[in-house]
Amino acid sequence: MSELTYISDAMKQNTFYILAGIIGLVEVGVFWFSVRYMIPYLITGAFIVGVLLLYLAWRRITDRQVDERAVLINQKAGMATFMVFWVIFFATSLGGAVIGLGAPPLPHFPRPPDERPSGINESIKPFGDGPGLPNESIRPPDDGLIRLGHFGYLQLALLFVMFFLYVGFRIYYARKYGEWESDEEQD
Amino acid sequence: MKNRIKVFRAMHDLTQEALAQQLGVTRQTILAIEKGKYDPSLELAFKIARYFNVSIEEVFTYSETQ
């Protein structure tokens, strides 16, 4: 545990960072493509593939230095992030549950036309006095999917909160365990 | 926990970097231990003592006030 871990194979730490940047840019491009053509599975799959590629590249880094103090800092930061984040996540989920409980019960079965409230059961007449379109031929956008998409914003916001929490705790514990201490041997 | 690593390093004319390489840790870890910011694991403490060929009590001193 206290020994430095040198992984054999050929990749420098800086090369890994460059590769990570390139993969990140590709992911942004794929995200744009997914939004443009409404293919949600594309970015989902691309993100998983990107993370796998990064993991494989990370394993090939030759000059990675990990010792017991670095491991301790990571563990402490990870645990502190978890302890704070679950409270935020639980509170947010409770709020979401309240919205869900206040919503009309699912699923929504379409009612026969004669049972629909007046005002909705009207044909749409696009031009003048021409024949109207039966309302069955007009499909409203899938409201459930759109709401699910909006839920994604919340999830992303929570992930960013988690990320910033981790970075904050990482800095805190690194400082606590002497990461930026200096002395006469400082370069 | 107090320690005398700096003293032993001076006696052996060793830099932090050289000692870190011998022990398989980073220089920053040696610095953090010397400054009392980080208490090493038992394994690393024994390695340090063994490297200087002294007992672990000669290098590390437990202090209640810490």
Side-chain angles (χ1 to χ4, degrees):
Chain A
M1 175 110 148
S2 66
E3 292 187 3
L4 290 173
T5 308
Y6 290 100
I7 310 294
S8 60
D9 263 329
M11 182 175 286
K12 297 284 183 189
Q13 186 99 37
N14 288 340
T15 314
F16 172 77
Y17 289 141
I18 292 168
L19 182 68
I22 292 169
I23 289 176
L25 285 174
V26 170
E27 294 289 344
V28 170
V30 173
F31 180 71
W32 176 85
F33 193 85
S34 293
V35 174
R36 177 72 179 80
Y37 295 100
M38 279 299 291
I39 314 170
Y41 301 114
L42 185 63
I43 184 61
T44 307
F47 185 77
I48 291 169
V49 170
V51 170
L52 279 175
L53 282 174
L54 280 179
Y55 174 69
L56 291 174
W58 178 77
R59 287 183 59 182
R60 296 166 65 94
I61 297 172
T62 50
D63 55 348
R64 179 157 50 94
Q65 295 188 347
V66 181
D67 70 357
E68 62 176 42
R69 191 181 56 88
V71 170
L72 180 74
I73 290 169
N74 286 336
Q75 283 178 347
K76 290 259 187 185
M79 185 52 72
T81 303
F82 173 74
M83 294 292 280
V84 174
F85 182 71
W86 87 262
V87 176
I88 296 171
F89 188 73
F90 193 71
T92 314
S93 301
L94 282 176
V98 168
I99 295 170
L101 289 169
L106 293 174
H108 298 284
F109 294 106
R111 295 186 220 169
D114 53 336
E115 288 182 18
R116 292 183 184 177
S118 62
I120 293 176
N121 189 21
E122 288 180 359
S123 296
I124 295 173
K125 296 179 178 178
F127 303 110
D129 296 329
L133 297 168
N135 58 0
E136 281 75 17
S137 67
I138 296 174
R139 287 177 170 271
D142 193 335
D143 198 30
L145 266 182
I146 291 171
R147 285 180 185 175
L148 192 65
H150 290 160
F151 184 65
Y153 291 140
L154 177 67
Q155 285 180 309
L156 282 175
L158 285 171
L159 277 172
F160 276 113
V161 167
M162 185 167 73
F163 175 75
F164 285 116
L165 275 174
Y166 179 77
V167 169
F169 282 122
R170 181 75 176 69
I171 291 169
Y172 171 77
Y173 283 110
R175 191 163 174 228
K176 184 178 177 184
Y177 293 114
E179 185 74 27
W180 294 289
E181 290 288 321
S182 61
D183 66 353
E184 70 275 7
E185 284 189 29
Q186 193 71 33
D187 295 329
Chain B
M1 191 144 66
K2 291 177 181 173
N3 68 80
R4 298 173 62 217
I5 294 176
K6 199 168 186 173
V7 175
F8 280 105
R9 264 199 317 109
M11 286 164 63
H12 287 76
D13 196 22
L14 268 175
T15 62
Q16 288 170 345
E17 184 69 50
L19 179 61
Q21 279 185 359
Q22 291 293 325
L23 299 171
V25 294
T26 58
R27 188 188 74 84
Q28 208 61 30
T29 296
I30 298 296
L31 174 58
I33 295 170
E34 285 184 0
K35 293 246 174 186
K37 290 274 185 178
Y38 172 68
D39 291 333
S41 67
L42 202 54
E43 185 187 355
L44 181 56
F46 269 109
K47 274 186 176 180
I48 292 168
R50 192 161 293 177
Y51 182 79
F52 292 124
N53 207 19
V54 292
S55 66
I56 200 165
E57 291 87 353
E58 288 180 71
V59 184
F60 296 98
T61 314
Y62 180 69
S63 162
E64 288 281 356
T65 53
Q66 275 279 320

